[in-house]
Every structure is written in structure tokens, then in C-alpha cells.
Amino acid sequence: MVTRPHEPTLPLNAMITSAIPVIAVSDSARAEDYYCRVLGFQKMSAYPPDATRPDPRYLALARDGVWLHLQSYKPQRAGMTDAFLWVTDVDRLYEELSARGAVVQLPPTDQTWGIREMGIRDPDGNVLGFATKPAKTSVA
């Protein structure tokens, strides 16, 4: 380990246990509708809580224990965010989301790097990638 003269050496005892992508949107009401109605997320909280107030707002959404945050405090960054999510079955998710009107940019595709993935866009153009890890095969 390289130490610098004026930096203390601290042991790494705390583990990172999860991450929450924060996605910039231009219109929180439109984004909330898309993420909840089309993508199946549920609104867990919002600030300010009154949805009739104009933007900016901050939304916390969850689906299947996975959280996303949407914020309209920086609308100039809307459409510039990507998030990647692991799923149990990308093909079933594709059927579900496309039936609800999701904007699919990449249908389920076997990638050369060994995963099967799909991609969608939200109304601002932010990209959400969903992928299934390959099944582990045992060597006989």
C-alpha cells in the first residue's frame, strides 16, 4: 500500500452494501408516471411531497427491493444518465415492459461478453439497461 506523508492510513472496515442511481429528469410528474405505470416501480417518497407543486422534485422509487431516485433539480442533465440493473429473466421483463409501452432501444440480446441484456429509454432519453447473468455451467 502506498502512503502519502500527510494522509492517515485508515483500515477499511465498512462495506458498501448497495447503490442507488440518481436519474436526472426534466418533468417529475411525467417521469413518475413512466417509471411507475410503465416500468412497475412504486413511489416510496417525494420531496416536496405535494405532487401538484411545480418542479423541482426528488422522488425515491423501488421495485423488487431495488431503488432508483429521480430528480428534476438539474433539468439540464436530463437524458444524460444511464443505469444498469440485474434481473432474473430479461426476456420476461422485456415482455412485461414492452406490453406496457416502454421505449425499447435494445430488445433482449445475447452479448459477446456473456450476458443477455435489453435497454430502454425514459421520456427524457435516460437509458436503463437490464441484464440476466449467464447460468453457471459445471464441467463434467
Side-chain angles (χ1 to χ4, degrees):
M1 171 167 59
V2 176
T3 59
R4 296 186 179 97
H6 302 290
E7 292 182 19
T9 304
L10 299 174
L12 299 176
N13 294 325
M15 290 179 51
I16 297 171
T17 60
S18 66
I20 301 173
V22 180
I23 299 171
V25 298
S26 62
D27 180 325
S28 65
R30 178 180 69 178
E32 179 182 343
D33 176 66
Y34 186 80
Y35 280 80
C36 293
R37 183 181 51 79
V38 177
L39 302 184
F41 283 84
Q42 178 182 0
K43 180 171 69 174
M44 305 306 285
S45 66
Y47 182 82
D50 183 1
T52 63
R53 291 184 57 188
D55 283 320
R57 290 185 77 215
Y58 196 97
L59 303 166
L61 310 176
R63 176 180 169 159
D64 305 322
V66 175
W67 289 63
L68 295 177
H69 287 182
L70 308 179
Q71 62 88 5
S72 60
Y73 285 87
K74 299 175 187 174
Q76 69 278 12
R77 298 201 55 201
M80 300 173 68
T81 311
D82 291 6
F84 189 86
L85 300 97
W86 291 110
V87 300
T88 57
D89 188 331
V90 75
D91 292 286
R92 287 182 61 196
L93 184 66
Y94 169 77
E95 291 172 11
E96 173 192 333
L97 300 184
S98 59
R100 287 197 207 133
V103 179
V104 178
Q105 78 167 33
L106 175 70
T109 303
D110 290 326
Q111 300 293 6
T112 58
W113 47 91
I115 63 172
R116 185 161 175 80
E117 72 178 286
M118 65 172 275
I120 63 151
R121 289 192 181 272
D122 74 5
D124 284 302
N126 295 301
V127 175
L128 297 176
F130 299 91
T132 300
K133 294 178 184 180
K136 292 186 179 189
T137 56
S138 59
V139 178

